[in-house]
């Protein structure tokens, strides 16, 4: 989160000097050019979609297909998939990425001390004091508090700085040039639906155009201006199907594992160490975190994700759910009540029921705990669903 405090007098004087203004002008123009160029992929997709609408509705359905019933069926299902695709794409593009709240910013006095301090050890002491009251479970690879010098904010769990958006994004997944936006907590559901409906859109076009593609290709139909549009429409739809299918499958796998793209490549580091499954609560609960509790809203591009993006339920164990069997060691100083629960998202409490330290029953088969005088060990057998 950017701070908007007034600069110090000397900085204000420097920024107002003519020479400073001349130096800043080129960089400002460069940023404007970069922002304009960033919209080129989105404009390209919009042009392809507009052309596909014209080619399918006008050139195929109106000019080529002769059966009235076939026209009505094709146009009805085409417009349903088209509306859902455009709706989800629009929401993915124009939903602003969520950033950390003010409570994760350093107090003014602590921030001044942090900026004046030159030793990293002393800076970490300041961050540790400021983070003592925050619901943080993840650390850097060295075990330090994660802090963004650019945004001057302590990073919440699963939060990362996006250099393209120049801001810290809650539960950041990746920055997507095709939507010119950062995909994170606020729009991840929209992004998944955008992939799903774009795949449905392309599959429907390819399937319904195929017979007329063959007829034009074999000269069974006369050469008309619609021939080029029909032939090219099939090639474009098939090409996009292949590319979107692989990306959509990958993100469905991530949702089932409750991981972001960043976490898939670099496992989050908890107090107990690195754990790639630290946020996994079981397949059904992982799905609910992104799509919500009410299934009737799952297919609609409206926000239903659980929580507030600042805190997430964790398994609080350093175990790998993808292994056939693991041993979970309970931490004596932690319990289920230690899991940070979002005060703004009451639906997140559903994730913290009796099965907090294990996956769903369909994913986990737990043995009875065996207790001894010296230690307490829980042996859990897990099915591999990777």
């Amino acid at each position: 989160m950017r701070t908007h405090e007034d600069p110090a007098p000397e900085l204000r004087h420097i920024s107002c000097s003519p020479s400073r203004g001349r130096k800043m002008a080129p960089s400002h123009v460069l940023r404007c050019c970069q922002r304009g160029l960033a919209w080129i992929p989105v404009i390209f997709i919009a042009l392809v979609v507009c052309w596909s609408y014209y080619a399918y509705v006008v050139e195929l359905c109106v000019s080529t297909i002769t059966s009235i019933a076939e026209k009505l069926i094709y146009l009805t299902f085409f417009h349903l998939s088209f509306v859902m695709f455009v709706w989800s794409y629009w929401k993915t593009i124009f939903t602003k990425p969520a950033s950390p709240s003010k409570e994760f910013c350093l107090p003014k006095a602590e921030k001044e001390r942090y900026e004046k301090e030159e030793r990293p050890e002393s800076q970490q002491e300041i961050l540790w004091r400021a983070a003592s009251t925050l619901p943080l479970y993840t650390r850097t690879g060295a075990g330090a508090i994660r802090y963004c010098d650019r945004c001057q904010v302590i990073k919440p769990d699963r939060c990362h700085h996006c250099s393209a958006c120049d801001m810290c994004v809650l539960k950041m997944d990746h920055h997507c040039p095709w939507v010119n936006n950062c995909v994170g907590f606020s729009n991840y559901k929209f992004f998944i639906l955008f992939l799903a409906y774009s795949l449905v859109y392309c599959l429907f076009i390819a399937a319904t155009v195929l017979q007329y593609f063959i007829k034009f290709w074999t000269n069974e139909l006369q050469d008309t201006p619609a021939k080029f549009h029909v032939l090219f429409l099939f090639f474009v739809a098939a090409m996009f199907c292949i590319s979107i299918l692989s990306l959509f499958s990958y993100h469905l796998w991530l949702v089932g594992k409750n991981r972001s793209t960043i976490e898939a490549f670099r496992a989050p580091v908890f107090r107990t160490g690195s754990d790639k499954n630290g946020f996994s609560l079981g397949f059904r609960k992982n799905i609910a975190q992104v799509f919500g509790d009410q299934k009737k809203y799952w297919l609609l591009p409206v926000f239903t994700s659980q929580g507030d993006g600042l805190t997430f339920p964790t398994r609080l164990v350093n175990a790998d759910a993808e292994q056939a069997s693991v041993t979970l060691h309970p931490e004596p100083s932690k319990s289920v009540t230690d899991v940070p629960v979002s005060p703004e998202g009451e639906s997140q409490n559903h994730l913290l029921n009796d099965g907090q330290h294990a996956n769903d029953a369909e994913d986990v088969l737990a043995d009875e705990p065996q207790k001894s005088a010296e230690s307490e060990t829980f042996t859990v057998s897990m099915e591999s669903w990777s």
Side-chain angles (χ1 to χ4, degrees), residues 258-272:
N258 202 348
R259 299 177 194 168
S260 64
T261 301
I262 296 176
E263 293 166 351
F265 286 94
R266 184 176 66 250
V269 179
F270 294 85
R271 299 171 184 174
T272 55

Side-chain angles (χ1 to χ4, degrees), residues 45-62:
I45 294 296
L47 292 176
V48 171
V49 171
C50 291
W51 167 79
S52 67
Y53 184 90
Y54 166 79
Y56 192 91
V57 174
V58 178
E59 298 294 345
L60 178 67
C61 292
V62 176

Side-chain angles (χ1 to χ4, degrees), residues 93-114:
I93 295 174
F94 294 104
T95 300
K96 185 178 180 180
S99 56
S101 58
K102 294 182 178 179
E103 62 179 321
F104 288 87
C105 296
L106 287 176
K108 185 176 181 180
E110 294 294 323
K111 184 173 65 175
E112 292 176 353
R113 290 183 55 196
Y114 179 86

